[in-house]
Amino acid sequence: MSISSPDTCISHNNNNLPNLSNKSNGMRGNKYNCNNSGTPRTRLERLLRERELRKFNKSLNDGETELSNNDSFSPDSFEAFSWFNDEESLETISANRCSTDGCERQDSRTSRERLLVVANRLPVSAVRRGVDSWHLEISVGGLVSALLGVKEFETRWIGWAGVNVPDEIGQRALIKALAEKRCIPVFLDEEIVHQYYNGYCNNILWPLFHYLGLPQEDRLATTRSFQSQFDAYKKANQMFAEVVKEHYVEGDVVWCHDYHLMFLPKCLKERNRKMKVGWFLHTPFPSSEIHRTLPSRSELLRSVLAADLVGFHTYDYARHFVSACTRILGLEGTPEGVEDQGRLTRVAAFPIGIDSDRFIRAFELPQVQDHMKELKERFAGRKVMLGVDRLDMIKGIPQKILAFEKFLEENPNWRDKVVLLQIAVPTRTDVPEYQKLTSQVHEIVGRINGRFGTLTAVPIHHLDRSLDFHALCALYAVTDVALVTSLRDGMNLVSYEFVACQASKKGVLILSEFAGAAQSLGAGAILVNPWNVTEVASSIGYALNMPADEREKRHHHNFVHVTTHTSQEWAATFVSELNDTIVEAQLRTRQIPPPLPIEVAVDRYAKSNNRLLILGFNATLTEPVDTLGRKGSQIKEMEPKLRPDLQEPLRKLCDDPKTTIVVLSGSDRSVLDDNFGDYSMWLAAENGMFLRATKGDWMTTMPENLNMEWVDSVKHVFEYFTERTPRSHFELRETSLIWNYKYADVEFGRLQARDLLQHLWTGPISNASLDVVQGSRSIEVRSVGVTKGAAIDRILGEIVHNKGMKEPIDYVLCIGHFLAKDEDIYTFFEPELPSEVPAPVRSHVTPPVRTSVSKLSTSRSLSREDRLKKHRPMPTIERSKSYHINTDVFQSRVVDRMSLQEGSSVLDLQGDNYFSCSVARKRSNARYLLRSSDDVVKLLTELTNSWIDSMNTDGSTMEGN
């Protein structure tokens, strides 16, 4: 969210209220020291400011802000809100959102941003009472209570109503009834629900995300059903997307929830790229080693990455997601999230909370007090331990009961002084695995009660049912020790509810370290490994015997967290960060080159008379490869080949007498010879250090004083790390060495690269004049000045001389997937353009002796016409008998010295006739962007067709004459 403000943040008028109008001399700078104007510039400053704004509004809404009118009021008492002016900030926020979304809102106080909450189930239960009559019952808790606190948004709910409504009359009636609750239904038929919800969601994703693994099927027919279930999953997500699209208004925020809708962000972005989309997972996200077993792993990850903001309960889950994206998709993980070709999907942790006020206020109700009195009388003289769980495999109920049994074995004096109340809410009762679990729990409870119980008392009270809210609050309040032994849990809010209800008793929380809540409540709780029954039994004894002062300290710590990190704060924080992520993305997008206007480039090509095409090779003219090398991509990349669909367009372009093609690559000479030996073009190998026309011999453009004595020592280091890093390799070229770890394990490769760089800097290259060029997953060592931009002027001079050009070059197309170090080739031509054309500053390149085409020094006093008339002096090309760099590596032949005519024209380039294009590299100095080599194929094919059309037109004209 973009937030701006007046020059100062706040002042106080005579009524001791924030000044909501204009500036005054008494105003103070903000406490976060953003800048003198009070306008936050960084993302953190914006988020901090929005947080303070929410706190301020909450205090006003709750009636907690009491400002006195006497003279003794101190401005310092308003320090918490001293960096924003409330009304002006709200108006500015709305204005900035509107300018971002293209909407028009004149009064932010009467017009609120809409929040579309998309979840698998609506927060209502619908029961049909007649043909066109429905009874609705609102669900309490969870997302409903969380979003009640987000006052600045107008919330709409989209989801499945939980019932099958095949007839149109019933659907229209349900839509009308739900509209009053601000709910919008998605209608799913029974087959879709069975395959999508019961099948893919509950049978595949849910177990996998809780580390239970994929179902072990023993029949091929059942395994085939996985694909049909995934197809139904995608279809259901498409149906959700259609409903969202139907009700979406420009500027709305769309918040998708949980593993049921992992495919939805992609569906929404395909329908509207400008839509603000967030996605939040309410379960754990497994480690990449678990997630990679999922057959549809890549498709689901890429679908989630279409969202602008991806949220999880804990940092661990967020880290697992980023790791899965890097290891499975081969993308770059950053501290901010996951980056894919310049587009950043922000990934962050947002621990959910509860509506703590609702639980605290419940104790004022007489029915809760009555329940508490009854429970105290029922269990007088005994310590009460409590477990509240769904009867589910992940909740660790058998482990909990077994630990309690071990405690009773080891502590016979406690057998008649403690009772365990276990509330087990039945779920999925028609599934055999759950039926088996129920029988197992009942068997264990019966055995323990039979072993340690008496005629008047039993140690375990087990209930296979849920309790109403008031009874549950009373039960929490009388509990001495709460026992949460989840084997894997996204968050587990039972622990939060227990803490909120313990204001008077200050009971002890024993919490599984595998529950997400352990990261939030770990300081005040006793953390245990539920699989270690002995440890849990020991913790029960420690909790029952804990001194009162320690219980109070532990409770206070957790109570403060639960009452401040509420569900409302969770929702407001997520939406706030989603808005700010959109702002950051727009700032980032401004730095990304726009897509190449292919029609314009082709039209300019057709109208020019002397064209120069400079083409990269790797990832530009080659086949796309799988970044993880699962399909032999590593072998393909080590032996790059020209795309078959580019062979014919290139051959025809080479036949055009008005077009000169240069393939400029970092690859060695043999690679270019193998791929382009049959074409009539120029080849520039090893970043332009070697050059030849395909009908001639190789010559070198290297400076005479190039020192290559460092090669052997660097080679030894690269060999060492190649041996120690599986699937890495290094290339020994004639002017550089490259170590590539693209296909190695992501984390291990990164660590090895860091270690390798330390070895280089402290050893072989510590005093050498070398450049170390780091790619995304490669390290290259080359001599200083060896770049494509430094070589292009020498290459251009030789081409002009060799072809005997009489007409200046008036069209340049430069395309490549170049390293940042080599992008000086994009800016090489920019300074020759008129001053009206914005151009980045050309990188400084050390002049390589007398073998360069000198750039013109254009005076600032020259007119635009004079600058365009200026010509580039032609080069002198030096030739000697032989040029030795390293006799073990190569021996290159260079041409005899000859002088070219001074003052001849090389370039006469208008600004709109120069097209520099980065291929699949969005952070670039190039003017334009091509998404992949597929776009390169399209462009070169269009250029070929344009030339053929012009030839046909010229032929028709000659026949007519």
Side-chain angles (χ1 to χ4, degrees):
M1 183 183 302
S2 178
I3 305 175
S4 58
S5 69
D7 290 342
T8 47
C9 301
I10 196 166
S11 66
H12 305 282
N13 57 22
N14 292 333
N15 294 323
N16 292 325
L17 291 172
N19 188 333
L20 303 181
S21 55
N22 299 320
K23 314 166 196 173
S24 85
N25 296 329
M27 294 183 181
R28 303 157 53 192
N30 76 64
K31 64 180 179 180
Y32 291 94
N33 198 26
C34 26
N35 53 63
N36 291 335
S37 67
T39 303
R41 294 177 178 176
T42 68
R43 177 179 166 277
L44 179 59
E45 287 173 355
R46 289 195 298 270
L47 293 175
L48 286 172
R49 183 173 199 167
E50 180 119 337
R51 178 173 174 270
E52 294 294 328
L53 180 59
R54 288 200 306 271
K55 289 170 61 178
F56 178 71
N57 286 337
K58 184 177 185 301
S59 67
L60 290 179
N61 293 333
D62 294 345
E64 294 174 359
T65 304
E66 298 179 359
L67 302 176
S68 96
N69 291 326
N70 56 45
D71 296 334
S72 63
F73 173 77
S74 170
D76 292 336
S77 63
F78 221 82
E79 184 179 0
F81 314 111
S82 65
W83 70 324
F84 63 85
N85 176 308
D86 184 37
E87 187 167 326
E88 290 181 355
S89 293
L90 285 173
E91 292 174 355
T92 309
I93 292 168
S94 178
N96 277 300
R97 285 177 179 166
C98 290
S99 64
T100 298
D101 304 331
C103 61
E104 294 182 3
R105 295 171 183 166
Q106 295 181 355
D107 190 346
S108 66
R109 289 163 292 183
T110 58
S111 177
R112 294 183 297 170
E113 207 170 5
R114 289 208 321 172
L115 176 65
L116 302 183
V117 179
V118 191
N120 175 61
R121 288 291 297 271
L122 289 172
V124 296
S125 299
V127 179
R128 195 163 189 172
R129 293 289 177 84
V131 177
D132 58 352
S133 175
W134 291 87
H135 172 72
L136 303 180
E137 194 170 310
I138 298 293
S139 304
V140 179
L143 282 178
V144 182
S145 61
L147 294 169
L148 286 176
V150 190
K151 302 296 185 182
E152 65 265 32
F153 290 97
E154 183 183 323
T155 304
R156 294 285 186 277
W157 296 80
I158 297 176
W160 177 47
V163 291
N164 181 34
V165 190
D167 59 298
E168 291 187 9
I169 296 177
Q171 289 184 4
R172 286 197 297 268
L174 183 58
I175 291 173
K176 183 178 180 181
L178 289 171
E180 298 177 2
K181 308 294 184 183
R182 295 187 175 182
C183 292
I184 303 165
V186 177
F187 295 106
L188 305 175
D189 60 51
E190 288 185 357
E191 180 60 23
I192 287 288
V193 170
H194 176 68
Q195 294 269 19
Y196 145 74
Y197 182 69
N198 298 326
Y200 198 76
C201 291
N202 288 342
N203 194 42
I204 295 179
L205 289 183
W206 190 90
L208 188 79
F209 282 11
H210 290 85
Y211 290 79
L212 299 180
L214 291 173
Q216 299 297 315
E217 305 295 347
D218 56 357
R219 289 180 297 176
L220 182 60
T222 310
T223 304
R224 285 179 182 146
S225 69
F226 289 175
Q227 185 58 45
S228 64
Q229 289 174 1
F230 184 56
D231 292 340
Y233 180 85
K234 292 193 290 185
K235 182 177 179 181
N237 276 248
Q238 294 279 6
M239 295 169 72
F240 275 86
E242 285 299 322
V243 175
V244 173
K245 179 185 176 183
E246 181 182 346
H247 293 86
Y248 175 80
V249 178
E250 188 173 358
D252 286 353
V253 175
V254 183
W255 191 1
C256 312
H257 288 269
D258 231 356
Y259 58 93
H260 312 88
L261 301 175
M262 293 181 73
F263 206 71
L264 184 57
K266 178 183 177 183
C267 298
L268 295 176
K269 288 291 188 176
E270 286 175 347
R271 288 161 173 76
N272 187 342
R273 297 298 302 174
K274 295 182 179 180
M275 193 179 291
K276 301 177 186 177
V277 179
W279 182 80
F280 190 88
L281 182 65
H282 293 267
T283 69
F285 192 90
S287 71
S288 59
E289 291 303 307
I290 298 292
H291 185 78
R292 74 191 310 161
T293 62
L294 186 65
S296 52
R297 58 193 183 184
S298 299
E299 197 167 357
L300 285 180
L301 287 176
R302 289 200 177 276
S303 299
V304 171
L305 287 175
D308 300 294
L309 176 62
V310 176
F312 300 91
H313 282 310
T314 72
Y315 171 73
D316 279 348
Y317 307 156
R319 177 172 54 85
H320 289 162
F321 177 80
V322 173
S323 177
C325 292
T326 57
R327 293 178 179 274
I328 296 173
L329 301 181
L331 302 179
E332 188 69 24
T334 72
E336 292 292 311
V338 179
E339 186 170 346
D340 183 9
Q341 297 299 328
R343 183 187 182 276
L344 178 69
T345 298
R346 182 160 151 67
V347 180
F350 302 90
I352 197 173
I354 63 170
D355 184 1
S356 55
D357 288 343
R358 178 169 175 255
F359 286 87
I360 295 171
R361 289 194 302 267
F363 293 101
E364 301 172 2
L365 302 176
Q367 53 265 53
V368 175
Q369 293 294 330
D370 292 341
H371 278 299
M372 289 175 61
K373 182 179 179 181
E374 179 183 346
L375 290 169
K376 287 177 181 179
E377 292 175 354
R378 174 70 178 82
F379 300 111
R382 305 176 76 180
K383 293 282 189 178
V384 177
M385 297 179 59
L386 175 66
V388 180
D389 307 278
R390 283 185 298 107
L391 192 53
D392 202 308
M393 276 85 70
I394 67 165
K395 295 300 182 178
I397 296 176
Q399 287 80 2
K400 179 191 305 183
I401 300 173
L402 289 173
F404 184 62
E405 179 183 26
K406 185 168 183 60
F407 169 76
L408 295 179
E409 280 182 354
E410 297 177 348
N411 300 272
N413 58 311
W414 275 102
R415 291 175 185 175
D416 59 349
K417 297 179 182 178
V418 65
V419 60
L420 172 62
L421 308 181
Q422 177 61 54
I423 311 299
V425 182
T427 179
R428 302 185 70 184
T429 54
D430 56 336
V431 178
E433 288 83 356
Y434 285 78
Q435 294 171 355
K436 181 179 178 181
L437 175 65
T438 303
S439 300
Q440 180 187 12
V441 171
H442 289 173
E443 179 185 343
I444 299 173
V445 170
R447 189 187 75 242
I448 296 173
N449 283 340
R451 182 181 176 188
F452 299 106
T454 65
L455 291 175
T456 58
V458 291
I460 301 177
H461 289 249
H462 181 87
L463 276 71
D464 280 330
R465 65 180 180 86
S466 60
L467 296 180
D468 63 62
F469 175 70
H470 299 131
L472 186 61
C473 288
L475 192 54
Y476 282 141
V478 301
T479 297
D480 296 283
V481 177
L483 197 52
V484 178
T485 55
S486 304
L487 305 181
R488 189 71 60 175
D489 225 341
M491 197 64 182
N492 194 292
L493 296 179
V494 167
S495 55
Y496 277 63
E497 294 171 358
F498 168 73
V499 171
C501 295
Q502 283 286 311
S504 60
K505 194 150 195 175
K506 298 176 175 54
V508 182
L509 173 64
I510 298 177
L511 179 60
S512 167
E513 63 188 49
F514 299 115
Q519 293 196 14
S520 303
L521 305 181
I526 300 175
L527 297 184
V528 295
N529 177 1
W531 294 100
N532 189 339
V533 174
T534 303
E535 179 190 356
V536 179
S538 175
S539 298
I540 292 174
Y542 183 76
L544 291 173
N545 292 293
M546 184 179 292
D549 59 337
E550 183 179 351
R551 287 206 319 270
E552 186 168 351
K553 289 178 182 177
R554 286 175 176 268
H555 169 74
H556 176 73
H557 186 282
N558 284 346
F559 187 78
V560 169
H561 181 89
V562 168
T563 53
T564 55
H565 294 75
T566 62
S567 54
Q568 293 88 350
E569 181 66 19
W570 164 77
T573 301
F574 185 92
V575 176
S576 172
E577 294 221 16
L578 175 57
N579 272 311
D580 194 79
T581 299
I582 299 297
V583 174
E584 288 287 311
Q586 290 173 339
L587 295 175
R588 181 182 291 264
T589 301
R590 291 173 192 165
Q591 302 170 359
I592 297 176
L596 174 69
I598 292 181
E599 293 183 1
V600 176
V602 172
D603 179 66
R604 293 290 177 180
Y605 175 89
K607 294 178 181 178
S608 55
N609 296 313
N610 191 6
R611 309 140 182 162
L612 175 65
L613 272 57
I614 302 172
L615 308 176
F617 181 47
N618 290 308
T620 303
L621 305 179
T622 57
E623 287 277 9
V625 296
D626 175 14
T627 55
L628 299 177
R630 296 193 186 95
K631 301 176 181 178
S633 300
Q634 184 172 2
I635 304 300
K636 291 180 181 178
E637 188 167 319
M638 293 173 66
E639 299 176 358
K641 298 293 182 183
L642 175 67
R643 289 182 61 138
D645 49 2
L646 273 175
Q647 293 176 0
E648 190 61 24
L650 272 180
R651 200 175 301 279
K652 291 180 179 178
L653 286 174
C654 289
D655 292 338
D656 181 4
K658 294 183 178 181
T659 300
T660 302
I661 298 179
V662 180
V663 174
L664 179 56
S665 173
S667 301
D668 59 33
R669 292 177 289 172
S670 62
V671 172
L672 298 188
D673 284 338
D674 292 342
N675 284 279
F676 302 101
D678 297 334
Y679 294 82
S680 177
M681 61 171 60
W682 287 80
L683 304 178
E686 300 208 21
N687 300 308
M689 294 298 102
F690 298 95
L691 177 69
R692 85 173 178 101
T694 48
K695 298 178 181 178
D697 297 325
W698 284 101
M699 65 189 77
T700 184
T701 64
M702 288 185 295
E704 289 182 348
N705 59 349
L706 196 65
N707 181 8
M708 300 295 291
E709 294 178 356
W710 51 269
V711 171
D712 287 338
S713 56
V714 173
K715 176 185 173 184
H716 292 321
V717 175
F718 279 12
E719 285 176 340
Y720 173 78
F721 279 91
T722 300
E723 293 172 359
R724 291 169 52 84
T725 312
R727 297 194 69 181
S728 68
H729 66 277
F730 81 94
E731 299 176 50
L732 175 61
R733 297 174 180 172
E734 300 178 52
T735 59
S736 65
L737 283 87
I738 301 175
W739 184 66
N740 190 306
Y741 58 98
K742 180 177 182 180
Y743 298 101
D745 179 88
V746 176
E747 296 298 328
F748 184 61
R750 196 173 293 155
L751 292 173
Q752 291 291 82
R754 188 186 309 162
D755 199 14
L756 182 147
L757 286 171
Q758 290 177 349
H759 277 75
L760 288 178
W761 289 122
T762 58
I765 66 173
S766 56
N767 297 315
S769 180
L770 299 173
D771 279 334
V772 177
V773 183
Q774 296 186 56
S776 60
R777 293 177 192 172
S778 66
I779 295 174
E780 180 178 0
V781 180
R782 59 169 81 157
S783 295
V784 172
V786 178
T787 68
K788 293 178 172 66
I792 190 61
D793 51 357
R794 302 190 291 270
I795 294 170
L796 186 60
E798 174 60 22
I799 292 174
V800 171
H801 160 66
N802 185 279
K803 297 186 70 171
M805 285 186 182
K806 302 299 182 183
E807 194 167 0
I809 296 173
D810 59 353
Y811 179 94
V812 174
L813 174 65
C814 182
I815 306 174
H817 181 81
F818 301 135
L819 295 171
K821 180 73 175 179
D822 294 318
E823 286 204 340
D824 52 358
I825 189 172
Y826 293 141
T827 58
F828 175 82
F829 300 96
E830 295 285 3
E832 297 295 315
L833 302 178
S835 58
E836 290 87 337
V837 179
V841 179
R842 181 190 174 194
S843 303
H844 175 72
V845 179
T846 305
V849 296
R850 290 175 290 173
T851 61
S852 64
V853 181
S854 304
K855 301 279 286 184
L856 283 179
S857 56
T858 306
S859 170
R860 293 179 178 269
S861 61
L862 291 177
S863 66
R864 178 177 183 274
E865 291 76 11
D866 291 335
R867 287 198 301 271
L868 288 174
K869 290 177 182 177
K870 276 282 188 178
H871 298 301
R872 189 194 299 257
M874 298 300 288
T876 57
I877 306 297
E878 296 187 357
R879 181 191 294 259
S880 61
K881 294 182 180 179
S882 63
Y883 190 87
H884 296 272
I885 294 180
N886 187 326
T887 54
D888 295 331
V889 180
F890 73 92
Q891 186 176 28
S892 295
R893 179 183 159 281
V894 227
V895 290
D896 291 333
R897 174 176 299 181
M898 60 180 60
S899 176
L900 301 179
Q901 181 180 357
E902 291 287 336
S904 297
S905 176
V906 176
L907 289 175
D908 185 12
L909 192 59
Q910 302 292 329
D912 48 10
N913 269 17
Y914 173 49
F915 298 88
S916 57
C917 308
S918 172
V919 179
R921 193 183 292 278
K922 292 188 176 180
R923 292 185 179 180
S924 173
N925 291 326
R927 290 185 167 196
Y928 302 104
L929 173 70
L930 292 172
R931 291 172 299 176
S932 67
S933 60
D934 293 335
D935 286 348
V936 178
V937 174
K938 179 181 178 181
L939 172 61
L940 296 185
T941 302
E942 292 288 334
L943 294 179
T944 301
N945 295 337
S946 172
W947 175 65
I948 293 174
D949 291 343
S950 65
M951 291 290 292
N952 293 335
T953 302
D954 292 344
S956 301
T957 303
M958 292 180 63
E959 290 178 5
N961 293 335

